[in-house]
Amino acid sequence: MASGSDHDEHVILICKNPDPITTEVGKEEILVSTTDILSWDLPEILSFHTVKVQAHRSRLIEQSSYFRGLLSGSFSESCLGSTIVEWNVQAFMYILKHLYGCPLDITWDSFLSLYEVNVFYIYAFIIPLQFTPTTVVGSEKNCHVVGGALYFGVDALLLKCKTWFSEVSSSKGSHSKQMQMEDLILIWKFGLQHASDFILELCTGYLARNFMWALHSSIFGKIPYNMLVSSIEHPDLTVDSEMHLSDALFCWLESNMENLEFLSKTEDDCHRILKQIRVGLWPLWFAAGKRNSSHFRQLAEESLDSIFKQLNIPPMGSRNILGYDDLQHLRIRLTEYSKKVNLSDCPQITFAILLLSVVPLSYPMDLSLRKIIEQLFNNFELPIRDKCAFPQRLLQTLSFEAVQEVDISKCQRLHIEGAIEFFCKSFPSLRKLSAAYLLNIRTTNFLKLVQKCPQVCEIDLTVDVTPLIPALVSIVSSSPAVTSLISVDAISFYESGPLLSNITKLTLEGRTDVYDSDLQYISKLCVSLQHLNLKGCISVTDNGISDLIRKCMKLNSIMVCDTSFGINSIQALSSATECASFASLHSRDMHLSSIAANLQTLHMGGCLGVSELSLLKLMSQMQVLKGLCLRGTNLVDQALYNFPGSSLEMLDVSNTKISGAALAHVIHGNPSLKCLKARGCRNLFQEGSCIEKRERIFSCSHEELYTKLGKMCRLEVVEFGWGFSSFSLKALEPALMSLRTINVGLGGMLGEDAMRKLPTICPMLETIIFHFQVISDTILMNIAASLRNLQVLALCYCFGDISISSFKFSMQNLRKLRLERVTPWMTNDDLAILTWNCRNLVELSLLGCSLLNSDSQQIISRGWPGLVSIHLEDCGEITANGVSSLLDCKALEDLLLRHNMPLLRKLSLDICDASEGDFDIPDYADRYFLSSLKIARCKYQRCAFNLPVPSRGACTRSVHVETLVFVWNGRDLIRAVVKERL
């Protein structure tokens, strides 16, 4: 007990740490003073079991209502020199620092403990009759629950906590790195427990604005029901797409179905959640895939119905055109916090839906304005320019300045010209546009996008590249026979006035309508171009590519796989830039000033026009390269030995003649390697003339290569073939803990023991592709049971004793399945089992399943209604009665039927686009009896059908085409009877 002036000036606050885990052995007690509070070492202080704080009595009384009553009132503590505080010691230390004017940095970790004690204080004084002096002071039992609140009742701190939480939870910036999902749920529960509307509103608002961050949390399923509902009903709910929201809600419902107490309550709760989903905006494949869901099938049917209503708009004048009274379910979710808008795979998206999404919410409620919107949906007779312009003159639209990225890939019905007008007005900060798989983008579209959206720096115009066969001959000249991406109009447009864009990344992958003239225009327009993807652009020449390289001096990423990229292009990469003075540069300095010296990515796989000498010269200059693809080129060992780079993360040398020693040399100098592809390298390990010599050299090469890989790298993707074995996998083991993709091809042999250990060695695997491996039921069952993240499984021409037992384990995350010549025993019943255990497939490839018949189609379409790709080859009589059942897969994009149609009599091509009439009729000699061909909803001005007449010497085909029908807009334009035997 203090005496004299000390008693009047100071008081000792005794704090005991209730958690022995946080204290250190031997540290029982420490005494500190508030006079040196600025120099407190909190971690050291908190390591003691008991902390005694000498504080100024007057300061406590001045700053705290509780201490004012305790130390200057009629309580016995007012005349004592010490008092006990039983609360979280760390929180109490922060409060003391605040009382003494120290800067207080509130964080997500400290907020609740600081706010909580002050809220308790408020409740204590709101209802004072519940707290008598004996309850507050005399009872140690109630001291922690109630007395603590009275100790820490500091209004200024409470206001600061409120202000901090309001600012960080309402900020437009993302705080996901600071915030943990557990903290958000805990704070919301605290607000619910204490009826704090302030906390509840801020928590649900934060969750709504950061919903994309939340749905990736591992504990998303633990969000309380009321909190989830409040967030999805919040006006600031921000998601990239309706699919992301729906998928998250489905996962939450499935994980919480058992926790909902009563059936009636379950139905009500599900209905309240599900009715918030705008099913009319789902991607088609997503809607079709949910048809096999036991819980959400009805919703999927509703979505498909809405999508097809939008794809087939009723005649003008019909009421309630899409089945929605308020059109709310056709509005894309846009808020002031939206940064990305993903509409990919939604064929129902039109300009009308875009416009509806940016008008104020009151508009669809107004009768006159609603008629304008409905007219826009219905009136297809109006010219497209007027159709896009007249509503914008009459309707006030909103602008969303935060949107930086838009994906309209596969939105076939979206008029590009109108969309660009929309983007420049509604998304003024747009920087990235993905418009993949759209064939209607032409010159004027490209120019308007560049002109009206000046901040756009990334454009993706990818189309399918897989059907392309790499050219085996060089293209000498390149002139468009049809309209190119950028035609003569573009050049005249440019000549009328220079138009420079900010485009730094341009992807034209697979576009056969890109020619040298287009590259010339791009080089003039895109002066800041850094990344260019021309993969599969078979219409451009080596000269065209080299000219572009010489003009785009900022290029650091070039992807030209399967093009005519050759010696001239390599010369352009290797030459010094124009800004360098050739007379003043030595050869070494010229290399340093070349474009090759600054390249970070070079993909030139399949470019057969590259000579060994030119490749040798190029490789010696690339010093900062991160990604290199040389698949199928004339790569030799010396080129790899000359490679000076040390930053490689991706290397593809598949189907080349390199040796293991040369590959080991590159690996040794590039410890950051994450992706290594070396399939088809027959010379990777040399073979001697005798077995003993061969085994000695073989073992040494393996040790050199795989040991270096295992010790130096952390791989995510590996592809090997010749020489890859169980020894290789064992040597690589330290590098494979983060492996996500493994592809073992011809010449590799893992063995049963290595296969069995694979899930343990590589627990993160998402893709497994095996060619010519020995597989058993035990191995596959282990893979299915252990690798829960597996999304792709391909077994091609593998051997072993495989049965349907291998697929009796549930693989709900599996998205792609290829079974090629490994399941000849598969029957319809086996296929049904497969559909049940792999319910979420989007791609299916079956080869050599000879026991399947026409009933298999219905099993496939019902079991996997969301399939996007189906490949069926040599699968018995699966198409003996046509392929109508497969068309129940409404989202189907890729259909391959080979050697499955020996009895095909009728063929219907719906919505075809054969610009050159190139229909290839399968040749089954005398067994083929095609008698009826129907071509419906074709592009009339471009579609033609010419039955090819066999050339002299060709095998005779018995093709009897008796009826040929062309249908356009529901009318038979041509009805011909052909009875000519070819």
Side-chain angles (χ1 to χ4, degrees):
M1 179 179 293
S3 60
S5 61
D6 289 340
H7 169 76
D8 296 332
E9 184 178 355
H10 294 98
V11 63
I12 301 296
L13 306 176
I14 304 173
C15 309
K16 294 185 178 181
N17 198 330
D19 186 4
I21 299 178
T22 60
T23 60
E24 298 182 14
V25 178
K27 292 187 175 182
E28 296 298 329
E29 183 177 296
I30 186 175
L31 175 64
V32 294
S33 174
T34 55
T35 56
D36 54 356
I37 195 170
L38 292 175
S39 60
W40 277 4
D41 184 356
L42 278 183
E44 174 66 16
I45 294 174
L46 295 175
S47 65
F48 285 84
H49 181 268
T50 301
V51 179
K52 293 184 177 180
V53 182
Q54 186 182 55
H56 296 85
R57 184 185 297 266
S58 58
R59 184 83 176 189
L60 295 176
I61 292 173
E62 178 185 350
Q63 297 292 327
S64 169
S65 299
Y66 166 68
F67 282 120
R68 187 181 309 123
L70 182 66
L71 300 179
S72 62
S74 59
F75 299 123
S76 59
E77 279 79 356
S78 62
C79 57
L80 298 178
S82 64
T83 185
I84 297 176
V85 177
E86 291 192 21
W87 199 263
N88 181 281
V89 180
Q90 182 178 7
F92 181 65
M93 294 295 111
Y94 281 127
I95 293 174
L96 278 180
K97 290 172 72 70
H98 174 76
L99 291 178
Y100 278 82
C102 296
L104 185 60
D105 183 21
I106 302 177
T107 64
W108 290 110
D109 294 330
S110 64
F111 165 74
L112 193 57
S113 58
L114 293 174
Y115 186 86
E116 182 179 10
V117 293
N118 289 283
V119 169
F120 269 125
Y121 165 75
I122 291 176
Y123 290 142
F125 283 92
I126 288 177
I127 314 176
L129 295 179
Q130 296 181 2
F131 303 93
T132 62
T134 56
T135 303
V136 174
V137 180
S139 173
E140 289 187 6
K141 180 177 180 181
N142 296 324
C143 185
H144 176 66
V145 179
V146 178
L150 300 178
Y151 277 123
F152 315 135
V154 184
D155 292 338
L157 180 56
L158 179 61
L159 178 60
K160 186 171 184 177
C161 288
K162 281 187 173 184
T163 303
W164 176 86
F165 188 47
S166 179
E167 289 177 353
V168 297
S169 63
S170 303
S171 173
K172 291 186 178 182
S174 174
H175 293 271
S176 57
K177 293 183 179 179
Q178 303 177 27
M179 181 69 151
Q180 298 297 322
M181 197 68 211
E182 297 91 333
D183 295 334
L184 185 62
I185 294 175
L186 185 63
I187 293 173
W188 184 87
K189 287 182 176 179
F190 172 81
L192 182 66
Q193 180 182 358
H194 300 290
S196 173
D197 293 338
F198 164 76
I199 288 183
L200 293 177
E201 290 174 3
L202 290 181
C203 285
T204 54
Y206 185 91
L207 179 58
R209 287 184 290 274
N210 297 279
F211 201 85
M212 292 300 297
W213 157 76
L215 63 84
H216 290 102
S217 171
S218 59
I219 64 167
F220 180 83
K222 296 183 179 179
I223 296 177
Y225 169 80
N226 290 333
M227 183 182 185
L228 180 66
V229 170
S230 298
S231 67
I232 63 177
E233 292 178 348
H234 198 282
D236 286 342
L237 176 63
T238 304
V239 291
D240 292 350
S241 72
E242 202 65 26
M243 181 191 72
H244 286 96
L245 173 63
S246 305
D247 211 20
L249 297 182
F250 292 161
C251 291
W252 187 93
L253 286 170
E254 288 177 345
S255 62
N256 286 273
M257 203 67 73
E258 296 179 358
N259 298 332
L260 299 176
E261 298 176 359
F262 304 105
L263 181 60
S264 59
K265 185 178 187 299
T266 301
E267 293 176 348
D268 293 342
D269 289 344
C270 288
H271 177 71
R272 185 175 178 185
I273 291 178
L274 296 179
K275 75 176 183 178
Q276 300 300 321
I277 298 175
R278 302 174 184 180
V279 295
L281 299 176
W282 278 0
L284 183 55
W285 69 267
F286 182 78
K290 291 302 177 183
R291 294 175 69 188
N292 66 357
S293 170
S294 57
H295 294 114
F296 313 115
R297 180 180 178 85
Q298 182 178 352
L299 203 65
E301 296 292 351
E302 181 184 341
S303 175
L304 288 172
D305 182 62
S306 173
I307 291 173
F308 288 128
K309 280 182 179 179
Q310 295 175 67
L311 291 175
N312 301 279
I313 305 294
M316 186 170 123
S318 61
R319 295 177 62 86
N320 195 17
I321 55 173
L322 299 173
Y324 300 116
D325 292 331
D326 58 0
L327 296 180
Q328 178 69 14
H329 274 62
L330 293 180
R331 290 174 63 98
I332 301 167
R333 295 183 192 270
L334 291 170
T335 71
E336 60 178 308
Y337 305 94
S338 298
K339 293 184 178 181
K340 181 177 180 180
V341 179
N342 188 346
L343 305 174
S344 60
D345 296 293
C346 295
Q348 72 273 25
I349 297 297
T350 62
F351 176 77
I353 291 180
L354 290 182
L355 186 64
L356 175 65
S357 304
V358 296
V359 298
L361 280 172
S362 59
Y363 274 38
M365 301 301 177
D366 185 277
L367 215 51
S368 59
L369 296 175
R370 179 185 172 93
K371 288 182 179 180
I372 296 176
I373 296 173
E374 290 187 354
Q375 183 180 3
L376 185 63
F377 272 103
N378 284 326
N379 197 346
F380 276 83
E381 301 298 326
L382 199 64
I384 190 64
R385 289 188 178 181
D386 297 337
K387 183 176 167 183
C388 295
F390 88 89
Q392 297 189 67
R393 294 195 301 266
L394 299 176
L395 300 177
Q396 175 188 355
T397 58
L398 304 175
S399 178
F400 299 88
E401 297 185 0
V403 174
Q404 297 185 8
E405 183 176 347
V406 173
D407 190 345
I408 55 172
S409 300
K410 299 182 182 179
C411 295
Q412 305 291 353
R413 298 182 73 241
L414 180 60
H415 187 261
I416 298 301
E417 185 176 350
I420 292 173
E421 296 282 350
F422 172 88
F423 294 152
C424 70
K425 184 175 182 181
S426 300
F427 304 146
S429 302
L430 184 64
R431 296 179 59 82
K432 181 178 179 180
L433 175 65
S434 297
Y437 308 102
L438 297 178
L439 300 178
N440 57 338
I441 294 182
R442 287 294 181 265
T443 302
T444 54
N445 307 139
F446 189 82
L447 293 175
K448 283 193 174 182
L449 177 63
V450 171
Q451 183 182 29
K452 297 195 173 185
C453 302
Q455 295 195 50
V456 170
C457 58
E458 294 186 24
I459 299 178
D460 184 358
L461 303 179
T462 297
V463 296
D464 284 307
V465 71
T466 48
L468 297 179
I469 300 176
L472 299 179
V473 294
S474 299
I475 301 176
V476 178
S477 62
S478 173
S479 59
V482 295
T483 305
S484 63
L485 174 68
I486 305 173
S487 63
V488 179
D489 296 336
I491 305 300
S492 61
F493 187 94
Y494 176 81
E495 291 175 351
S496 65
L499 173 66
L500 301 181
S501 76
N502 291 319
I503 296 175
T504 59
K505 184 174 182 180
L506 180 61
T507 301
L508 302 173
E509 181 174 318
R511 298 199 68 105
T512 57
D513 58 344
V514 174
Y515 300 89
D516 285 355
S517 57
D518 300 321
L519 297 187
Q520 292 174 12
Y521 180 74
I522 289 172
S523 65
K524 295 178 180 180
L525 176 69
C526 308
V527 294
S528 301
L529 192 63
Q530 298 176 15
H531 175 101
L532 178 64
N533 185 346
L534 296 175
K535 179 181 178 181
C537 295
I538 59 176
S539 300
V540 296
T541 69
D542 186 24
N543 289 332
I545 298 174
S546 63
D547 288 343
L548 180 140
I549 291 174
R550 288 189 175 93
K551 294 176 182 177
C552 296
M553 312 306 296
K554 297 182 180 181
L555 276 174
N556 58 37
S557 179
I558 302 175
M559 308 180 79
V560 287
C561 294
D562 302 318
T563 66
S564 296
F565 179 90
I567 297 176
N568 294 330
S569 298
I570 288 185
Q571 183 64 36
L573 286 174
S574 304
S575 302
T577 59
E578 295 179 358
C579 60
S581 173
F582 285 88
S584 62
L585 291 177
H586 297 292
S587 59
R588 179 179 177 276
D589 296 328
M590 290 179 67
H591 287 173
L592 292 176
S593 65
S594 67
I595 294 178
N598 298 313
L599 274 183
Q600 296 184 15
T601 304
L602 176 60
H603 289 192
M604 47 180 287
C607 296
L608 303 179
V610 179
S611 66
E612 294 181 5
L613 185 61
S614 60
L615 189 55
L616 188 68
K617 178 182 178 182
L618 178 64
M619 292 290 288
S620 65
Q621 298 184 38
M622 296 184 292
Q623 302 183 33
V624 295
L625 207 62
K626 293 184 178 181
L628 177 62
C629 175
L630 300 170
R631 165 185 54 83
T633 61
N634 296 313
L635 178 66
V636 293
D637 284 2
Q638 191 58 43
L640 290 185
Y641 282 122
N642 283 8
F643 178 67
S646 59
S647 305
L648 271 184
E649 297 179 1
M650 181 272 180
L651 176 63
D652 186 353
V653 291
S654 303
N655 298 308
T656 60
K657 299 178 181 179
I658 58 140
S659 68
L663 185 57
H665 171 78
V666 174
I667 292 170
H668 179 74
N670 292 270
S672 300
L673 198 64
K674 297 179 181 178
C675 173
L676 178 59
K677 300 180 180 181
R679 279 186 59 201
C681 297
R682 291 178 176 269
N683 298 335
L684 201 58
F685 303 106
Q686 300 175 359
E687 297 184 1
S689 57
C690 67
I691 297 177
E692 181 180 355
K693 182 179 179 181
R694 183 181 67 202
E695 289 180 350
R696 179 170 52 84
I697 297 176
F698 186 77
S699 176
C700 179
S701 299
H702 270 74
E703 182 178 355
E704 181 182 15
L705 177 62
Y706 296 116
T707 301
K708 284 186 177 181
L709 265 176
K711 289 182 178 180
M712 299 184 62
C713 303
R714 291 295 177 266
L715 296 170
E716 296 180 2
V717 178
V718 293
E719 294 186 8
F720 284 111
W722 295 98
F724 193 71
S725 64
S726 56
F727 170 82
S728 310
L729 191 67
K730 183 175 179 60
L732 280 175
E733 188 171 335
L736 301 181
M737 287 302 295
S738 299
L739 193 71
R740 298 186 181 277
T741 298
I742 184 169
N743 187 335
V744 181
L746 181 63
M749 188 60 66
L750 284 180
E752 184 174 354
D753 186 59
M755 290 278 197
R756 189 171 59 252
K757 293 179 180 178
L758 188 64
T760 304
I761 297 173
C762 316
M764 305 297 292
L765 273 178
E766 297 176 356
T767 300
I768 294 179
I769 303 174
F770 288 148
H771 293 79
F772 300 101
Q773 301 300 301
V774 178
I775 305 289
S776 66
D777 278 344
T778 304
I779 292 172
L780 282 184
M781 287 189 288
N782 184 37
I783 288 175
S786 304
L787 298 175
R788 310 309 299 176
N789 295 323
L790 191 64
Q791 297 181 24
V792 180
L793 177 62
L795 305 177
C796 308
Y797 298 88
C798 292
F799 313 100
D801 185 17
I802 304 176
S803 69
I804 191 59
S805 300
S806 300
F807 302 98
K808 287 188 175 179
F809 281 84
S810 176
M811 292 186 284
Q812 298 304 320
N813 289 325
L814 197 67
R815 311 286 288 171
K816 302 179 182 180
L817 178 64
R818 289 169 56 194
L819 300 175
E820 301 181 358
R821 300 292 184 191
V822 293
T823 55
W825 43 260
M826 182 174 289
T827 63
N828 288 355
D829 292 338
D830 298 329
L831 186 62
I833 293 174
L834 199 61
T835 63
W836 181 256
N837 291 315
C838 307
R839 298 178 64 86
N840 296 312
L841 288 189
V842 294
E843 294 187 15
L844 173 68
S845 177
L846 298 178
L847 173 58
C849 302
S850 57
L851 301 181
L852 298 180
N853 57 35
S854 58
D855 293 336
S856 302
Q857 289 188 39
Q858 196 171 71
I859 296 173
I860 291 173
S861 60
R862 287 183 177 179
W864 296 305
L867 282 176
V868 173
S869 174
I870 302 176
H871 288 190
L872 302 174
E873 303 181 55
D874 283 340
C875 289
E877 298 181 352
I878 195 169
T879 57
N881 296 325
V883 293
S884 58
S885 294
L886 289 179
L887 300 182
D888 288 338
C889 298
K890 303 298 185 182
L892 196 60
E893 299 176 9
D894 174 18
L895 178 61
L896 172 62
L897 304 173
R898 182 174 294 164
H899 309 302
N900 293 305
M901 302 179 288
L903 302 177
L904 186 65
R905 295 181 299 104
K906 297 181 179 181
L907 177 63
S908 176
L909 302 176
D910 196 10
I911 321 181
C912 70
D913 181 17
S915 61
E916 299 176 2
D918 187 13
F919 293 100
D920 185 14
I921 301 177
D923 185 2
Y924 290 103
D926 294 334
R927 296 185 299 115
Y928 198 83
F929 299 97
L930 183 64
S931 62
S932 176
L933 175 65
K934 180 180 180 181
I935 302 177
R937 290 184 289 179
C938 305
K939 292 189 175 180
Y940 174 61
Q941 72 277 15
R942 298 177 59 187
C943 184
F945 177 75
N946 298 310
L947 289 176
V949 179
S951 60
R952 184 173 301 176
C955 56
T956 304
R957 297 192 298 176
S958 297
V959 180
H960 304 267
V961 180
E962 298 179 351
T963 306
L964 176 61
V965 180
F966 287 82
V967 182
W968 175 251
N969 283 347
R971 295 176 294 152
D972 293 359
L973 292 184
I974 302 175
R975 182 175 294 276
V977 178
V978 181
K979 292 186 177 180
E980 179 180 359
R981 181 180 178 88
L982 301 179

